[in-house]
Amino acid sequence: MANPEITQVECDILILGGGMSGCGAAFEAKYWAPDLKVVMVEKSAVERSGAVAQGLSAINLYMGLRYNDPSYSKTPEEFVRYVRNDMMGIARDDLLYDIARHVDTSVHMFEEWGLPIWKRPDGKYTREGPWQVMINGESYKPIVAEAAKTALGEGNLYERVAITNLIMDAEEENRVAGAIGFSTRENRIYVFKAKVVYMGAGGATAIFRPRSTGEGMGRTWFTVFNTGSGYAMMLEAGAEATQMEHRFVPTRFKDGYGPVGAWFLLFKSGATNAKGEDYLKTREAELQKFLPYGEAKPTPTPLRNHQMLLELLDGNGPIYMRTEEAIAKLAAGEGPERLKELESEAWEDFLDMTISQAMVWAAQNIEPDKAPSEIYPTEPYIMGSHSGCSGMWVSGPEDLAPPGYHWGYNRMTTVKGLFTAGDGAGASPHKFSSGSFTEGRLAAKAMVAFVRDNPNTTKLNGGAEELGQAVYKPLTNFEKGRGASTRPDVNPNYLLPNQALRRLQKLMDEYVAGTSTWYKTSETMLNRGLQLLEMFKEDLENLGAADLHGLLRCWELKHRTAVAEAHLRHIMFRQETRWPGYYYRTDYPQLDDTNWRCFVNSRVDPKTKKWDVFKKEYLQIVPD
Ligand code: SFD
Ligand code: AMP
């Protein structure tokens, strides 16, 4: 495949990625500025793309502010404290507060647009836990996508176009001017020029070797199509990143990756080791090693993982979610209808968002009201919206952000005109689907202000033809090299993306605290990992793609590799173990608040490609 057609598109606001935050951005931008041309680009189809593609069974952030009822409502201050503790002392108070004060309006709109939210007899949404509400969420994403599409209007949505790189301005340094990508269906390159760019390409999966193998290969917790592309492209553009050492290791139902929140919080299930002991209690003393966060309520997510890992390492596994006990307790004294109802709620929790887990139950003859189910810590994920806080360092809201955390427009990165939110914005986790949509809205409002203040058009740095050749290089490599062998997957001239992905995952798993070392690493291991990663990057020049599908996989891999490098370099820089249960530095096994209660930020110089990793002060706004 050669000589692609080139399509050039010019707009005011360019939204890259039609996930939850991208849809929020599209909706809000058109609300404030119906006169501006807003274009959205999505590598798949917005209706079923991103982390919410499969559906969800809960909205994990809803404050209930309209009730002002302490037994139901949460305050923004409480949210900041909760998240800061879960992050073991470091989070951006300003960004979190900003999300919390606005998130409810998004949830109310979702309901108006048709999302069924469970209700209590008094009309309030049914809480799963203190922050969450239960939904019938199989069609959550189509509902949100419809609102975004309607707002954008005909002709402004480009689906099945994968963005590979941002394009900078030719005249103004450190200013973004657009983006380039390719159609995954036709022989066509797209070049977009804009006054302002929103990056909403989500978090990063499959950087690490997953636990699933063989016939389950590719089954992970977080959609495999979120490939860290946003982080990679923003880093390449010179934007400052924060907390890229952080990760999320979700505890999940084993093998199907089913969520645990509904069981722990709604059904109030306990989890035990194989001897039937409640390891959260028997391992309570372990929390004292990580004070003051060990005493926080709820126990921070990494510490809960840590307690479980100690059990597994001592041979006390399997760890079981005691679904049968929880259901028996809830059904006690009630009739058979209640049991039936609980049973169907249990199945729906999985069927709404992780159908694979329902299949594991079916395949292993597990009836949740009769037998417990295994839970397990998964491979690591790099993300910024769940219980992980990686992402870019963004400007905070002007009324809340302390000096140094605000440089103009809310949610703008350190690159002029480049905005992000959701998984893209770092140090502000636990925003989830509702908070990501809300943060996209906040970014969009600021982007509209940016365009009003900067009405002149930008100028793309680089010709479309030359940029397009770089995008198509893996196709060219394959075409040129294919004659050297008869089997396309054995060839001295190129490396196929699947082969390269496995090499990256093995490297990250073994040297950068993956599952095979029980999440442990050290400076010497990281140094060796970095050497291997440098060689791996050289080989990426020889990636080969047989077709457009392969080309997509090649670019996803390149993006994953950039995220992997950021993760490794940040872990190397932070000389402590702040999040046991997520990862351990065996050479610095303690949490060290004196030296490390700070953010770790980094930037790649766009010209020299050199990394600069440095500390950024943590500034507390909301008191303990
Ligand atoms: O249970 C390109 N999340 C949950 N949130 C909840 O509120 N409730 C839940 O029940 C949730 N659960 C959950 C959640 C996430 C995941 C992965 C699972 C389960 C398995 C969190 C939210 O889903 C999450 O916070 C938001 O979706 C984040 O929004 P955003 O916009 O940052 O990311 P996205 O929605 O994944 O969208 C990214 C989009 O970018 C596209 N894309 N497009 C063009 N070019 C490229 N190169 C691109 N690369 C990516 C993607 O296709 C996608 O559309 S539970 O576990 O907690
Ligand atoms: P999950 O299903 O694990 O993605 O979790 C859904 C929500 O419940 C998130 O807000 C989690 O932080 C929260 N959660 C899950 N398990 C627990 C727990 N044991 N204690 C407190 N919060 C939890």
Side-chain angles (χ1 to χ4, degrees):
M1 193 175 273
N3 303 324
E5 296 271 331
I6 295 184
T7 299
Q8 309 217 32
V9 179
E10 188 166 349
C11 61
D12 296 302
I13 297 180
L14 177 62
I15 297 172
L16 304 174
M20 284 307 283
S21 71
C23 286
F27 174 82
E28 193 78 7
K30 288 306 283 190
Y31 175 83
W32 292 105
D35 58 311
L36 295 184
K37 184 168 170 69
V38 182
V39 161
M40 180 186 270
V41 189
E42 163 58 50
K43 74 173 173 181
S44 67
V46 177
E47 189 165 290
R48 284 284 176 197
S49 73
V52 182
Q54 247 194 129
L56 298 179
S57 59
I59 287 178
N60 285 342
L61 181 58
Y62 177 71
M63 309 290 294
L65 291 171
R66 64 180 165 187
Y67 299 112
N68 195 18
D69 165 4
S71 70
Y72 185 87
S73 317
K74 289 290 187 186
T75 64
E77 286 81 2
E78 285 174 310
F79 181 63
V80 172
R81 281 186 210 113
Y82 160 60
V83 177
R84 198 166 59 203
N85 278 330
D86 205 54
M87 295 297 109
M88 309 284 283
I90 359 177
R92 281 278 298 271
D93 292 15
D94 58 330
L95 302 178
L96 293 169
Y97 195 103
D98 199 23
I99 294 165
R101 65 181 167 180
H102 291 292
V103 68
D104 285 5
T105 59
S106 299
V107 178
H108 300 155
M109 286 196 297
F110 297 155
E111 190 181 28
E112 268 170 42
W113 298 339
L115 179 70
I117 306 183
W118 294 18
K119 292 262 178 59
R120 313 190 313 188
D122 67 1
K124 292 185 181 131
Y125 299 147
T126 304
R127 285 248 182 236
E128 176 186 76
W131 306 98
Q132 306 83 355
V133 294
M134 297 302 294
I135 58 174
N136 295 103
E138 189 279 336
S139 296
Y140 190 4
K141 189 68 202 300
I143 289 167
V144 171
E146 190 183 331
K149 283 192 205 178
T150 310
L152 286 168
E154 280 293 304
N156 294 315
L157 174 61
Y158 293 81
E159 292 183 307
R160 305 196 194 285
V161 175
I163 297 296
T164 61
N165 308 82
L166 293 170
I167 308 176
M168 302 306 281
D169 193 85
E171 278 157 12
E172 192 178 342
E173 203 162 324
N174 194 38
R175 163 131 198 217
V176 73
I180 185 163
F182 64 95
S183 163
T184 60
R185 292 287 161 96
E186 323 168 67
N187 188 17
R188 186 181 299 278
I189 297 275
Y190 283 89
V191 176
F192 298 94
K193 188 163 88 116
K195 291 175 188 158
V196 69
V197 177
Y198 176 80
M199 179 55 84
T205 44
I207 307 279
F208 285 83
R209 180 157 52 191
R211 288 196 182 273
S212 56
T213 56
E215 89 282 7
M217 190 72 192
R219 178 69 208 134
T220 61
W221 167 64
F222 185 175
T223 168
V224 288
F225 307 109
N226 277 7
T227 52
S229 299
Y231 302 143
M233 289 187 259
M234 291 190 279
L235 278 165
E236 189 193 45
E240 194 171 313
T242 189
Q243 297 294 95
M244 293 302 288
E245 71 278 23
H246 200 257
R247 47 169 70 183
F248 180 31
V249 173
T251 291
R252 285 291 173 265
F253 280 84
K254 191 164 178 295
D255 298 330
Y257 293 86
V260 296
W263 281 99
F264 278 133
L265 304 177
L266 181 74
F267 297 118
K268 309 215 170 354
S269 174
T272 62
N273 66 14
K275 298 179 206 160
E277 296 162 346
D278 178 349
Y279 60 91
L280 296 176
K281 291 225 170 74
T282 55
R283 296 276 178 186
E284 214 168 336
E286 193 61 32
L287 304 178
Q288 297 299 313
K289 296 182 189 161
F290 300 96
L291 294 179
Y293 316 108
E295 274 175 354
K297 294 279 172 271
T299 301
T301 312
L303 288 179
R304 295 199 303 269
N305 279 6
H306 175 63
Q307 290 171 303
M308 179 196 291
L309 287 173
L310 294 174
E311 288 295 311
L312 288 167
L313 285 166
D314 280 356
N316 293 338
I319 304 292
Y320 287 109
M321 181 76 84
R322 304 307 300 252
T323 57
E324 82 296 11
E325 287 182 2
I327 291 184
K329 247 191 245 161
L330 290 171
E334 308 254 6
E337 305 82 58
R338 179 67 185 135
L339 189 64
K340 207 77 217 138
E341 199 178 271
L342 287 165
E343 205 188 316
S344 79
E345 284 175 5
W347 281 90
E348 178 172 348
D349 179 40
F350 290 159
L351 291 171
D352 265 354
M353 73 171 160
T354 319
I355 297 164
S356 51
Q357 195 66 52
M359 284 157 75
V360 172
W361 271 356
Q364 297 183 3
N365 298 331
I366 294 172
E367 292 177 68
D369 56 324
K370 298 197 175 62
S373 290
E374 275 186 72
I375 54 174
Y376 213 62
T378 71
E379 58 284 341
Y381 298 87
I382 318 291
M383 61 185 308
S385 73
H386 199 293
S387 312
C389 70
S390 308
M392 308 322 280
W393 184 247
V394 294
S395 178
E398 63 183 328
D399 62 331
L400 292 174
Y405 285 15
H406 174 72
W407 50 94
Y409 298 86
N410 201 1
R411 267 63 179 192
M412 189 169 85
T413 67
T414 56
V415 169
K416 187 173 172 189
L418 178 61
F419 289 69
T420 193
D423 277 321
S428 50
H430 286 278
K431 48 197 151 193
F432 294 99
S433 60
S434 47
S436 296
F437 183 89
T438 304
E439 208 184 16
R441 292 176 59 201
L442 294 169
K445 193 173 175 192
M447 288 193 293
V448 169
F450 182 97
V451 174
R452 301 285 187 226
D453 296 344
N454 300 272
N456 296 338
T457 57
T458 50
K459 188 160 180 242
L460 294 177
N461 187 13
E465 300 255 333
E466 169 204 337
L467 292 168
Q469 271 172 18
V471 172
Y472 260 35
K473 186 160 177 235
L475 286 169
T476 321
N477 285 348
F478 184 87
E479 211 44 51
K480 274 197 197 144
R482 65 191 297 183
S485 70
T486 48
R487 277 190 62 159
D489 57 344
V490 184
N491 189 299
N493 296 314
Y494 58 74
L495 187 63
L496 291 176
N498 194 26
Q499 297 165 331
L501 176 64
R502 283 165 196 242
R503 190 167 138 196
L504 175 71
Q505 291 180 342
K506 178 168 152 58
L507 190 167
M508 293 301 287
D509 182 43
E510 291 175 350
Y511 296 95
V512 196
T515 55
S516 67
T517 62
W518 287 97
Y519 313 99
K520 289 180 182 168
T521 188
S522 63
E523 187 172 337
T524 45
M525 289 295 276
L526 291 163
N527 273 326
R528 179 65 185 143
L530 189 56
Q531 277 175 350
L532 293 172
L533 193 64
E534 292 292 355
M535 286 183 242
F536 178 70
K537 275 164 54 186
E538 287 170 20
D539 289 347
L540 288 188
E541 288 306 308
N542 301 316
L543 273 178
D547 50 27
L548 288 172
H549 184 77
L551 185 62
L552 178 63
R553 295 287 173 262
C554 287
W555 276 102
E556 290 176 340
L557 180 74
K558 280 169 180 261
H559 292 156
R560 282 188 164 111
T561 305
V563 178
E565 183 169 358
H567 190 52
L568 187 157
R569 286 183 184 276
H570 274 237
I571 291 186
M572 184 127 68
F573 187 80
R574 184 181 281 282
Q575 294 177 333
E576 64 159 354
T577 296
R578 179 156 294 262
W579 304 283
Y582 283 177
Y583 77 86
Y584 303 82
R585 279 285 306 253
T586 51
D587 42 357
Y588 298 99
Q590 314 294 340
L591 181 142
D592 174 5
D593 257 357
T594 313
N595 295 301
W596 290 101
R597 194 176 177 197
C598 61
F599 301 106
V600 170
N601 284 15
S602 66
R603 183 174 179 266
V604 184
D605 186 310
K607 289 199 186 100
T608 62
K609 307 286 173 215
K610 280 225 156 57
W611 282 81
D612 185 16
V613 188
F614 50 94
K615 289 184 178 182
K616 200 90 174 185
E617 198 182 355
Y618 162 66
L619 298 171
Q620 184 164 346
I621 307 169
V622 174
D624 288 328

